[in-house]
Amino acid sequence: RFQACVYFASVFQAMSCGIHYLASVFMAVTPNFVCGFPGNVSSVLFHNSSASSIEDIWTLWTSTENYIVVQLGNGEIWELDQCSRSKREVSLDLAYEYKGNKSVFPCSDGFLYDDTKWKSTVVTQWDLVCDREWLAKLIQPTFMLGVLIGAVIFGDVADRLGRQRVIWFTSAGQFVFGIAVAFTFDYYSFVIVRFLLAMVSSGYLVVAFVYVTEFVGIKARTWASMHVHAFFAMGIMVVALVGFLVRTWWVYQIFLSIATLPFVLCCWMLPETPFWLLSEERYEDAQKVIDTMARWNKVSTPCKVSELCSVQQDDLASGRMGDDDTSSTKKHNILDLFCNWQIARRTITVWLIWFTGSLGYYVFSLSSVSLGGNEYLNLFLIGAVELPCYIIACVAMDKLGRRNTLIPFLILSALICVLIMFIPQDFNILIILANMAGKFSIGVAFGLIYLYTAELYPTIVRSLAVGSGSMMCRVGSVVAPFCVYLRSIWIFMPLVATVYFFQLLVGIMALLSGILTIMLPETLGKPLTNTLVEATEMGRNKKSCSEKTPPAHSGAALEKLEMFGQERVNADK
């Protein structure tokens, strides 16, 4: 009961992370637009269609190369392009085609936007078009840069100060910064506040994985960890639903941020994990958490920390109660992920998988935007398709193991990337199916690596390892949006060739990651390690482990925390 309440409370907030990650999909939409004009319009002409206002013309707009002809109340005739406007020298006849002289002017009177779908976006509010278009294209990359930095900072802070404090701070930060985004007064304040929002959102997601991993037992660890991703995907579906219902960007942002409020009101009740408390030698605090778990789970004879970790009773009583305790716990940093060759090789492989999974996920997603149809339904399905992906991943991870599931799905995604390049462009359905299969396979690997990373590293650097891996993941996320803009930069490189280039890149990296994963140890059914010595010995034979693993703080002893409650319940029965 206790673990279930802690778990569902924690993963509920992961839904808001998915919301903020994808919010800019509709918030930063660039609708159809043309240059503004000086004066009142009396007639509008678009090819062979005429109207009394420009709003009636937007339904006929098909290309950015089109222009609109307007006649003003004073008789002047103007041609309105997207980034310029031309005044006809001869205004005798209102016709769409004109061969005479024209005077070209900049868009000093602003722009006119199509508000058929969206009443207001950040693009329309601050005119992020034409020579300011690059500012709109930086909105998502700067957010992902904040995600990258937040993953490293809060992962390290969680290992130093504890998971509980970071959970509190990042949860409150998501609500505060989420609401603040809606009330920003210009583009630069908008980007800065969203950057801070990205940092706390990323920090929460990284620490939440570690938090639930350290609270649930071995049997439930796979499903519990993977379904954090499922709640993230549900956040994507919430974005699609709210985007369909609310068409003003700042109201849309407020509604999305309100989803965070219920957790903010109750997150202060979440306890610190016993694993972290024991790694910090705070035995008395760990005992209090265990006693609370026993009361919630109706266990009449709760376990003692001294039974689990072979700690003397007097050490348990004193713990870390006094400030005069002369013992000091070593503070760890990212260099500990390269403390020896085995750990360094493991770190490099894990980082490569994180980067490949993120880049592949976004490349396949970007390839799917050409499906057409309703964009709100498309985004909803993009989130929904991840749910069966994680269920299959969970079954495979429990049956085959983490490593044996990761390797084939990485290699499969590499093969699909190569296959897509040989499918003729006329076979649209086959291309769509191949893209969805590629996204599915890379999604399994992307979701699996969170749990696998948490299990590969000891308690003292676990948050740091997940955070640094998430940092590499966000490097891929920062790179991916620029792939969309590549066609406007490399005009000699068609979109299809651009997509194929990055799919080939993902395929090569996925194949390399799959080969390197063979050297990683299997963690299925094994206890969480607590020291770097134990993590180094993971995967070797039992004799080596028994000779070199310190008995006082062994991961196996700590892992009894996960199984002891159930044993006590069975004994009571």
Side-chain angles (χ1 to χ4, degrees):
R1 185 183 296 118
F2 181 88
Q3 285 88 336
C5 291
V6 168
Y7 174 77
F8 284 108
S10 301
V11 297
F12 175 80
Q13 182 71 354
M15 186 166 59
S16 69
C17 296
I19 288 173
H20 293 306
Y21 275 45
L22 271 294
S24 64
V25 171
F26 297 129
M27 187 165 34
V29 169
T30 301
N32 296 326
F33 67 94
V34 292
C35 226
F37 50 84
N40 298 320
V41 63
S42 61
S43 182
V44 181
L45 187 64
F46 182 74
H47 291 291
N48 296 324
S49 302
S50 61
S52 58
S53 65
I54 292 183
E55 287 74 15
D56 299 327
I57 296 296
W58 291 125
T59 55
L60 306 175
W61 189 274
T62 56
S63 173
T64 58
E65 298 178 357
N66 291 329
Y67 64 90
I68 297 176
V69 178
V70 297
Q71 186 173 35
L72 305 184
N74 58 8
E76 295 179 349
I77 298 178
W78 290 76
E79 293 181 7
L80 306 179
D81 293 308
Q82 284 201 320
C83 297
S84 65
R85 55 184 179 174
S86 305
K87 178 183 176 182
R88 294 179 179 178
E89 297 296 336
V90 179
S91 307
L92 298 178
D93 185 27
L94 180 62
Y96 193 74
E97 300 292 339
Y98 177 73
K99 302 290 186 179
N101 295 328
K102 295 181 287 187
S103 299
V104 180
F105 297 89
C107 300
S108 56
D109 292 295
F111 300 87
L112 301 174
Y113 296 96
D114 177 10
D115 60 358
T116 305
K117 289 185 177 181
W118 277 86
K119 300 300 180 184
S120 173
T121 70
V122 295
V123 173
T124 63
Q125 179 154 343
W126 295 309
D127 289 336
L128 304 181
V129 293
C130 297
D131 57 340
R132 289 168 56 87
E133 182 183 7
W134 65 277
L135 294 175
K137 292 180 177 180
L138 284 179
I139 290 177
Q140 189 64 14
T142 53
F143 183 90
M144 287 301 179
L145 182 62
V147 169
L148 184 155
I149 297 175
V152 177
I153 292 177
F154 288 106
D156 186 36
V157 171
D159 282 331
R160 295 173 182 268
L161 302 181
R163 288 69 161 118
Q164 182 191 51
R165 295 178 183 179
V166 175
I167 291 285
W168 291 352
F169 179 80
T170 54
S171 299
Q174 283 191 80
F175 177 73
V176 173
F177 292 131
I179 296 295
V181 167
F183 295 96
T184 49
F185 52 87
D186 62 7
Y187 169 80
Y188 297 102
S189 62
F190 170 82
V191 170
I192 291 173
V193 176
R194 267 182 58 87
F195 183 85
L196 298 175
L197 175 62
M199 289 182 62
V200 294
S201 297
S202 172
Y204 181 88
L205 194 61
V206 168
V207 178
F209 273 100
V210 177
Y211 188 76
V212 299
T213 300
E214 293 182 348
F215 256 115
V216 298
I218 295 177
K219 287 170 50 177
R221 188 188 298 159
T222 300
W223 288 83
S225 177
M226 288 294 291
H227 281 79
V228 177
H229 294 283
F231 280 85
F232 185 94
M234 290 171 62
I236 298 176
M237 293 187 280
V238 170
V239 171
L241 179 61
V242 175
F244 176 76
L245 298 175
V246 183
R247 305 300 177 89
T248 303
W249 79 266
W250 60 272
V251 179
Y252 160 85
Q253 176 66 26
I254 291 176
F255 271 92
L256 293 179
S257 300
I258 290 176
T260 311
L261 185 58
F263 182 78
V264 173
L265 297 177
C266 67
C267 68
W268 59 271
M269 295 186 293
L270 293 178
E272 185 56 80
T273 67
F275 271 98
W276 184 83
L277 292 172
L278 291 173
S279 69
E280 293 289 304
E281 300 178 10
R282 292 170 54 178
Y283 305 119
E284 186 176 62
D285 293 333
Q287 185 65 61
K288 290 179 181 178
V289 175
I290 294 172
D291 292 340
T292 302
M293 295 168 66
R295 287 195 301 270
W296 274 65
N297 296 337
K298 300 185 183 301
V299 178
S300 58
T301 54
C303 63
K304 302 296 181 182
V305 171
S306 56
E307 299 177 17
L308 301 176
C309 300
S310 302
V311 178
Q312 297 295 328
Q313 192 62 34
D314 55 343
D315 291 334
L316 176 61
S318 58
R320 287 197 157 201
M321 295 173 57
D323 295 334
D324 57 345
D325 186 0
T326 58
S327 64
S328 60
T329 303
K330 177 189 174 184
K331 298 302 181 181
H332 297 272
N333 54 51
I334 199 168
L335 295 179
D336 289 304
L337 301 181
F338 299 89
C339 62
N340 58 54
W341 168 242
Q342 287 82 4
I343 298 296
R345 185 177 61 185
R346 186 179 306 175
T347 300
I348 293 173
T349 302
V350 166
W351 281 5
L352 180 62
I353 298 172
W354 278 89
F355 180 84
T356 303
S358 176
L359 183 63
Y361 181 88
Y362 282 100
V363 167
F364 281 116
S365 298
L366 293 174
S367 302
S368 66
V369 297
S370 59
L371 296 177
N374 187 296
E375 58 264 38
Y376 305 105
L377 179 60
N378 289 345
L379 182 62
F380 185 88
L381 294 177
I382 285 175
V385 76
E386 296 183 39
L387 302 182
C389 163
Y390 301 136
I391 294 176
I392 292 177
C394 285
V395 174
M397 288 167 65
D398 279 341
K399 299 295 184 181
L400 304 177
R402 281 73 159 124
R403 181 183 60 187
N404 296 335
T405 300
L406 185 60
I407 293 172
F409 276 104
L410 281 172
I411 296 177
L412 177 62
S413 61
L415 295 176
I416 292 175
C417 287
V418 176
L419 176 64
I420 291 176
M421 299 184 63
F422 293 97
I423 300 178
Q425 291 299 301
D426 297 335
F427 292 73
N428 293 330
I429 297 179
L430 188 58
I431 292 176
I432 293 173
L433 292 176
N435 272 274
M436 296 305 293
K439 184 184 177 184
F440 183 92
S441 59
I442 203 71
V444 172
F446 194 27
L448 187 156
I449 193 59
Y450 279 85
L451 174 61
Y452 198 23
T453 302
E455 293 179 337
L456 284 172
Y457 291 89
T459 303
I460 55 176
V461 293
R462 186 170 295 125
S463 285
L464 183 60
V466 176
S468 63
S470 182
M471 178 192 70
M472 298 304 299
C473 158
R474 299 315 158 196
V475 172
S477 302
V478 171
V479 172
F482 289 106
C483 301
V484 184
Y485 314 136
L486 207 58
R487 186 173 68 169
S488 61
I489 300 174
W490 292 355
I491 56 177
F492 57 88
M493 188 174 186
L495 178 62
V496 172
T498 303
V499 172
Y500 282 170
F501 172 76
F502 281 99
Q503 284 177 338
L504 179 60
L505 176 64
V506 172
I508 295 174
M509 296 184 66
L511 181 61
L512 178 61
S513 301
I515 295 174
L516 292 177
T517 303
I518 298 174
M519 296 184 291
L520 294 178
E522 180 56 67
T523 60
L524 176 63
K526 294 183 179 180
L528 295 176
T529 58
N530 193 46
T531 66
L532 287 167
V533 174
E534 297 172 16
T536 303
E537 296 298 325
M538 183 186 297
R540 298 183 178 181
N541 57 63
K542 295 182 179 180
K543 180 179 180 181
S544 175
C545 290
S546 63
E547 290 175 353
K548 296 186 178 182
T549 301
H553 300 286
S554 68
L558 287 173
E559 195 70 16
K560 292 180 182 178
L561 281 170
E562 302 180 356
M563 300 179 287
F564 198 90
Q566 184 61 42
E567 293 173 357
R568 292 284 182 163
V569 171
N570 294 336
D572 291 343
K573 290 181 180 179

